[in-house]
């Protein structure tokens, strides 16, 4: 139903459709006594069990929650007004009242840390809230949800699941008004009857939201024994059989429209773990086992990160969810006790025990106090449900490792797995070969809700290697809308793009229909053997695209005369080595273009990913700011531009020579030596061993190396002695290692964003490329004049606007007319400008300067946009930048806000990059009403300043001077707020942009120190 991990807006989007009017509540003129605030000094965290630790912030919020129960008039008396759950909804939405479970839990919990057990004030407010909640129930047994949904499947299903648990708590305690408990029992029976019979649940719409139906059934499974109604049980068992048939596709996923990983994992799987009816439990176990069988092809273990990449391309409901460190399967990870595979995804027993011991050791102020405010903003009663269940499961580390080793993509033999879903018509192919693992999906978009129908991306989804993890990961839609409605670089799927009359198209969006072939003849993919060379054909760029599952993954696009490009989103580690085959190295996170390269090689830990192509006009590597694995991986997009035909293949290999020169004969530069180029048995060829394309200290050093290497190859019987001698002679005639070019830079120091001139002179210059980690891109130039044996060249390069001060070594790589190369270093130092600006970003192009920790961040239309309004505290930080004193300035434009308290701002002096505003540093934020707050982690708001409402883009400037913080808004020369912290956070910290329940455009970020 609801999930403690799915963002509020996602759940709301899955549920809210129409408006309801609750039944009139009983007038109650007398105000209720207030529940006393908690004294945290009396709380010993050692008294909390591991499960209970997660509700310590709820304990801190309880008095505030209980005292938000309306008692000041007869109108809506008992309504929970806190706006801390189902935010923005009113009394006509029964879901707002789900925190009656939270009140009931603390009223009944007999625990040493709970001062509210049987508290008279809490009881009065709980009973008032229960009466209001019961008054919202319709005569037919259903509960309403806001926006006109008078008889809501979601509201009724959640009521059944949560209030079944609440009844068990109230029964065990026995002190609440018995008549009220009896009324609640009768209400749940009416709700059960409606839920098992109504078309809203079992019709076409209900079939689209499997998680909502599952939650209601889980609740009824807990209530059946209470009711003792044989007819109701029989109907329940019939509906459960129907749910198994309708809600779970043949492919194995739970249908929420179609594939929706988070709903399957964090809602349906979570809910089903609480199944309480032993007679029908085998059905639930069978469904979950089928789901986990599907999940192993879509949750891909990364041994370096010890987490899971997610096949996000085929997800229809949640954008950008591409990685998770842990994936507890079921409430409290209870599926791990039933299905061994589920143990692969959760924290281990040892990890959990250590975390919980550290939580208790740190005490209330460190472990709990910083979480109270964020929890208040999202007071999810499903957390209470999980704690009330009492049971949990965590595997031992050895058991988790054993479960990981059962996952077919990670540890199994080669396979070709075809899965089809008859209801949606969608088809999926998952294949493992010795040199790669791949996933593909095909079909039509399924219309779910609120524009989510176009999230899915089809065709190629991911390329995986058990040792390296996911190395290509197509993303689903980063924003609502077709690719033709958004900037072309906003599309991050793995597929073919081309321009038609109505704009840019991608085959991944255009719902490709696959045809399957083996040896050129049509074949049923379900009948394909595990190692068959299965070919999949579908339309792209006005022509045909084929993907062949061979010893390499082979892709071919035949588009006639239509220009197109193939987009391959590489998932790279910052320590990876990346280089063009036939070109130079490329820094991960930088932009590079190559005209004559024949491939790209990524090397990590001695293993390489090779992508080789023919038929491309040019290739571009560019960094996307889209967050992958919480910023621990970089999405480096490869675009192969072509007209007519493009063919490329991918493989992952252990190779002593990454990106081998596989030409038939040995070349030194452009000169064919005429000597065959065999392999030496290690993955290297003779040409690889000669290393003629590398930089040498001198020509003599290269000739000496060739002499020694060819002698060794002759002893190994790789070369004949005659061929070895021919190669030595060719090396002696070459100009490898000779210094024939002089390069100079117009300035030794430069400010970020400025242009510099590079001049080259010398002999035999064919072309030269200037590169460096601080440049906006590599610049290639050709001689401006040519003469026999000589030439000169000029290039103009631009320092990237976001470069931080410090050294930046540039390199000039000159390709001579003979085909050999020369490298010349050009030292450069980046310095602050005259105003002391050390960092600026105007977002005129995709920026690799930022790491988005959470939320939905993208460089769009010249701004840095965070568009997720569901939570408070979405953040993105500047890579490598820290300041203590100085200024941080940014333009802020509020696009949409979810609440009147929404904000955008900056966070400074954080202890480490990515810290939440509750963890460290200061948060200075602006609200649309013009107020500015200064918030200190662990303390709260230090000061607030008021001012005119924000009506468009405006500037927020934060000045830091020791203990004093000042914030300025717009052009106003006077600070809107000034505060001096008596116990200041000192020392340098990272700089972060923050949003709270708002979609915000940031621009013109400037930092001085």
């Amino acid at each position: 139903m609801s999930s403690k991990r799915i963002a509020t807006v996602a759940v709301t989007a899955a549920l809210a459709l129409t408006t309801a009017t609750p039944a009139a509540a009983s007038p109650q003129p007398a105000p209720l006594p207030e529940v006393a605030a908690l004294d945290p000094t009396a709380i010993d965290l050692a008294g909390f069990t591991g499960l209970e630790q997660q509700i310590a912030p709820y304990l801190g919020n309880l008095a505030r929650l209980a005292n938000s129960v309306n008692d000041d008039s007869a109108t809506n008396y008992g309504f929970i007004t806190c706006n801390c759950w189902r935010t923005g909804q009113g009394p006509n939405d029964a879901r707002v009242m789900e925190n009656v479970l939270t009140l009931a839990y603390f009223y009944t919990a007999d625990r040493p840390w709970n001062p509210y057990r049987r508290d008279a004030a809490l009881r009065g407010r709980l009973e008032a809230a229960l009466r209001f909640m019961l008054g919202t129930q319709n005569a037919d047994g259903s509960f309403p949800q806001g926006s006109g949904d008078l008889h809501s499947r979601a509201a009724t299903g959640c009521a059944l699941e949560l209030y079944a648990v609440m009844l068990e708590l109230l029964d065990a305690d026995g002190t609440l008004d018995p008549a009220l408990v009896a009324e609640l029992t009768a209400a749940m029976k009416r709700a059960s009857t409606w839920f098992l019979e109504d078309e809203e649940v079992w019709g076409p719409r209900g079939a689209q939201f499997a998680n909502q139906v599952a939650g209601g059934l889980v609740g009824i499974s807990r209530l059946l024994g209470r009711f003792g109604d044989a007819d109701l049980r029989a109907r329940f068992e019939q509906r459960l059989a129907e749910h198994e048939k309708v809600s779970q596709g043949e492919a194995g996923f739970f249908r929420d429209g179609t594939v929706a990983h988070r709903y399957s994992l964090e809602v349906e799987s979570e809910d089903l773990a609480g199944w309480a009816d032993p007679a029908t439990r085998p059905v639930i176990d069978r469904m979950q086992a089928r789901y986990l069988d599907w999940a192993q092809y879509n949750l891909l273990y990364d041994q370096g990160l010890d987490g899971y990449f997610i096949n996000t391309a085929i997800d229809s409901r949640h954008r950008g969810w591409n990685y998770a460190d842990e994936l507890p399967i079921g409430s409290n990870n209870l599926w791990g006790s039933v299905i061994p595979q589920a143990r692969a995804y959760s924290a281990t027993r040892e990890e959990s025990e250590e975390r919980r011991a550290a939580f208790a050791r740190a005490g209330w102020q460190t472990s709990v106090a910083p979480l109270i405010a964020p929890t208040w903003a999202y007071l999810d009663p499903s957390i209470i449900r999980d704690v009330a269940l009492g049971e949990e499961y965590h595997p031992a580390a050895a058991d988790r490792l054993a479960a990981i080793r059962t996952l077919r993509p990670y540890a199994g033999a080669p396979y070709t797995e075809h899965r089809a879903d008859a209801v949606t018509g969608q088809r999926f192919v998952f294949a493992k070969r010795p040199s790669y693992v791949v996933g593909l999906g095909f079909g039509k978009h399924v219309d779910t809700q609120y524009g989510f129908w176009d999230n899915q991306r089809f065709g190629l989804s991911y390329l995986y290697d058990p040792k390296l993890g996911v190395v290509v990961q197509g993303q689903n839609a980063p924003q609502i809308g077709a690719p033709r409605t958004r900037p072309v670089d906003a599309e991050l799927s793995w597929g073919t793009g081309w321009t038609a009359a109505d704009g840019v198209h991608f085959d991944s969006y255009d719902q490709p229909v696959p045809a399957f072939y083996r040896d050129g003849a049509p074949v049923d993919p379900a009948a394909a053997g595990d190692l068959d060379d299965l070919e999949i054909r579908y339309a792209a760029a006005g022509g045909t695209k084929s993907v062949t599952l061979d010893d390499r993954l082979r892709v071919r696009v035949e588009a006639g005369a239509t220009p197109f490009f193939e987009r391959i989103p590489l998932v790279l580690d910052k320590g990876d080595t990346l280089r063009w085959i036939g070109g130079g190295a490329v820094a991960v996170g930088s932009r590079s273009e190559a005209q004559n390269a024949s491939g790209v090689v990524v090397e990590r830990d001695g293993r390489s990913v090779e992508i080789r192509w023919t038929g491309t006009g040019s290739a571009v590597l560019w960094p996307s700011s889209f967050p992958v694995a919480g910023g621990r991986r970089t999405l480096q997009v490869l675009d192969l531009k072509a007209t007519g035909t493009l063919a490329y293949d991918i493989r992952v290999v252990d190779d002593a020579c990454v990106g081998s020169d596989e030409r038939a004969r040995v070349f030194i530069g452009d000169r064919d030596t005429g000597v065959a180029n065999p392999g030496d048995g290690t993955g290297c060829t003779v040409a690889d061993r000669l290393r003629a394309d590398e930089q040498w200290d001198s020509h003599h050093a290269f000739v000496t190396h060739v002499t020694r290497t060819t002698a060794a190859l002759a002893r190994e019987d790789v070369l004949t002695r005659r061929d070895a001698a021919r190669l030595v002679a060719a090396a002696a005639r070459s100009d490898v290692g000779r210094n024939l070019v002089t390069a100079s830079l117009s300035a030794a120091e430069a400010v970020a964003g400025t242009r510099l001139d590079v001049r080259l002179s010398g002999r035999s210059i064919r072309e030269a490329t200037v590169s460096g980690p601080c440049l906006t891109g590599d610049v290639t130039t050709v001689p401006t004049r040519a003469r026999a044996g000589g030439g000169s060249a000029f290039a103009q390069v631009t320092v990237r606007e976001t470069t931080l001060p410090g050294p930046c070594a540039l390199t000039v790589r000159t390709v001579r007319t003979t085909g050999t190369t020369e490298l010349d270093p050009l030292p450069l130092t980046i310095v602050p400008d005259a105003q002391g600006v050390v960092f600026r970003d105007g977002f005129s192009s995709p920026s690799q300067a930022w790491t988005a920790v959470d939320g939905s961040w993208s460089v769009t239309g010249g701004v840095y946009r965070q568009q997720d309004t569901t939570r408070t505290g979405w953040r993105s930080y500047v890579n490598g930048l820290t300041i203590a004193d100085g200024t941080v300035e940014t333009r802020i434009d509020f696009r949409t806000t979810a609440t009147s308290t929404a904000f955008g701002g900056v966070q400074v002096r954080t202890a480490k990059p990515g810290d939440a505003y509750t963890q460290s540093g200061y948060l200075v934020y602006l609200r649309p009403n013009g107020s500015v707050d200064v918030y200190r982690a662990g303390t709260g708001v230090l000061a607030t300043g008021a001012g005119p409402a924000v009506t468009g883009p405006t500037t927020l400037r934060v000045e830091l001077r020791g203990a004093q913080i000042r914030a300025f808004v717009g052009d106003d020369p006077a600070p809107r707020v000034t505060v001096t912290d008596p116990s200041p956070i000192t020392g340098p910290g990272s700089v972060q942009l923050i949003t709270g329940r708002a979609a915000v455009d940031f621009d013109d970020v400037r930092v001085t120190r």
Side-chain angles (χ1 to χ4, degrees), residues 249-253 255 258-259 294 298 311 313-314 417-430 439-446 456-461 511-517 522-528 534-538:
E250 301 94 324
F253 58 83
R255 290 195 188 102
T258 176
V259 179
W294 153 269
N298 294 279
N311 184 11
I314 62 172
E417 190 77 18
H418 174 259
R419 300 290 178 96
D421 180 59
V423 171
T424 64
Q426 293 182 353
R427 306 172 77 171
F428 306 91
V429 177
F430 308 104
L440 304 97
F442 301 95
K444 294 185 178 297
H445 296 293
V446 174
Q456 285 180 297
R457 294 296 184 261
F458 297 110
L460 288 156
S461 297
Q511 306 177 107
V513 178
F516 299 89
Y517 297 85
V523 66
D524 178 358
L534 182 67
E535 181 188 2
I536 307 167
R537 300 178 191 169
Y538 51 98

Side-chain angles (χ1 to χ4, degrees), residues 197-450:
E197 298 298 340
D198 200 86
E199 181 70 9
E200 171 67 16
V201 181
W202 301 100
R205 289 295 285 173
Q208 277 203 330
F209 300 100
N211 76 89
Q212 298 171 6
V213 180
L217 291 174
V218 169
I220 298 172
S221 80
R222 305 192 75 85
L223 292 163
L224 284 173
R226 179 183 301 274
F227 298 152
D229 187 324
D231 292 338
L232 191 66
R233 165 172 280 281
R235 189 56 167 154
F236 166 76
E237 293 178 355
Q238 291 172 357
R239 288 304 199 188
L240 176 58
E242 186 174 340
H243 179 65
E244 180 183 19
K245 180 180 179 181
V246 172
S247 74
Q248 188 168 32
E250 301 94 324
F253 58 83
F254 296 123
R255 290 195 188 102
D256 272 277
T258 176
V259 179
H261 294 312
R262 292 195 89 163
Y263 276 105
S264 291
L265 286 164
E266 297 186 346
V267 184
E268 179 130 358
S269 291
E270 182 175 304
D271 291 348
L272 292 180
W275 197 262
D277 179 45
T280 51
R281 180 68 192 229
V283 177
I284 302 304
D285 291 350
R286 183 168 62 237
M287 292 176 67
Q288 188 64 25
R290 282 202 304 267
Y291 172 71
L292 287 178
D293 178 57
W294 153 269
Q296 69 178 323
Y297 302 106
N298 294 279
L299 309 176
L300 302 159
Y301 180 66
D302 186 291
Q303 62 183 18
L305 297 176
D306 196 22
Y308 286 85
F309 280 87
I310 295 156
N311 184 11
T312 184
I314 62 172
D315 194 314
S316 67
R317 300 294 292 277
H318 289 93
R319 297 181 175 88
W321 194 52
N322 51 41
Y323 175 84
D325 286 311
E326 296 171 5
L327 290 162
I329 307 297
S331 289
N332 308 336
N333 199 48
L334 284 172
W335 280 116
S337 65
V338 179
I339 302 174
Q341 183 190 327
R343 300 167 191 169
Y345 307 109
S346 71
T348 65
R349 184 183 310 149
E350 295 87 342
E351 289 169 333
S352 299
E353 289 173 353
E354 173 54 32
R355 292 173 190 174
R356 291 168 174 181
F359 182 93
R361 284 195 305 269
W364 183 274
Q365 287 304 316
T366 299
S367 293
V368 182
L371 302 177
I372 290 175
T375 302
W376 176 257
Y378 192 67
L379 209 58
D380 187 346
S382 70
I383 301 281
I384 301 295
R385 173 204 64 190
D386 292 351
V387 174
L389 289 177
E391 298 178 89
E392 63 176 326
Y393 177 84
H394 290 282
D399 292 336
R400 179 175 182 264
L401 180 59
I404 290 171
R405 287 172 175 165
T406 68
L407 303 176
R408 293 186 77 191
Y410 182 72
Y415 57 79
T416 300
E417 190 77 18
H418 174 259
R419 300 290 178 96
D421 180 59
V423 171
T424 64
Q426 293 182 353
R427 306 172 77 171
F428 306 91
V429 177
F430 308 104
K432 182 174 184 177
R433 298 293 184 266
S435 63
Y436 64 89
V437 183
V438 70
L440 304 97
F442 301 95
K444 294 185 178 297
H445 296 293
V446 174
D447 190 358
T448 53
Q449 226 175 356
Y450 295 124

Side-chain angles (χ1 to χ4, degrees), residues 783-857:
T784 55
R785 60 184 179 87
R787 61 181 186 270
S792 63
F794 168 84
Q796 192 172 69
V797 297
T798 303
V799 179
R800 194 172 60 246
E801 180 185 46
T802 56
T803 305
L804 300 179
C808 175
L810 306 187
T811 301
V812 179
R813 181 179 184 271
T814 303
V815 179
R816 303 190 184 107
T817 54
T818 57
T820 58
T821 62
E822 178 179 335
L823 300 180
D824 290 282
L826 290 174
L828 175 66
T829 301
I830 310 303
V831 296
D833 69 9
Q835 287 74 44
V837 174
V838 295
F839 175 81
R840 58 165 55 82
D841 199 344
F843 305 105
S844 57
S845 61
S847 176
Q848 60 267 43
W850 298 84
T851 293
V853 179
D854 43 28
S856 179
W857 299 83

Side-chain angles (χ1 to χ4, degrees), residues 884-886 909 922 958-966 977-981 984:
D885 286 356
R909 293 185 185 166
Y922 296 100
V958 179
E959 292 187 354
L960 304 165
R961 295 289 181 268
Q964 185 185 78
I965 300 173
R966 301 198 299 171
V977 64
T978 299
V979 64
T980 300
D981 189 349

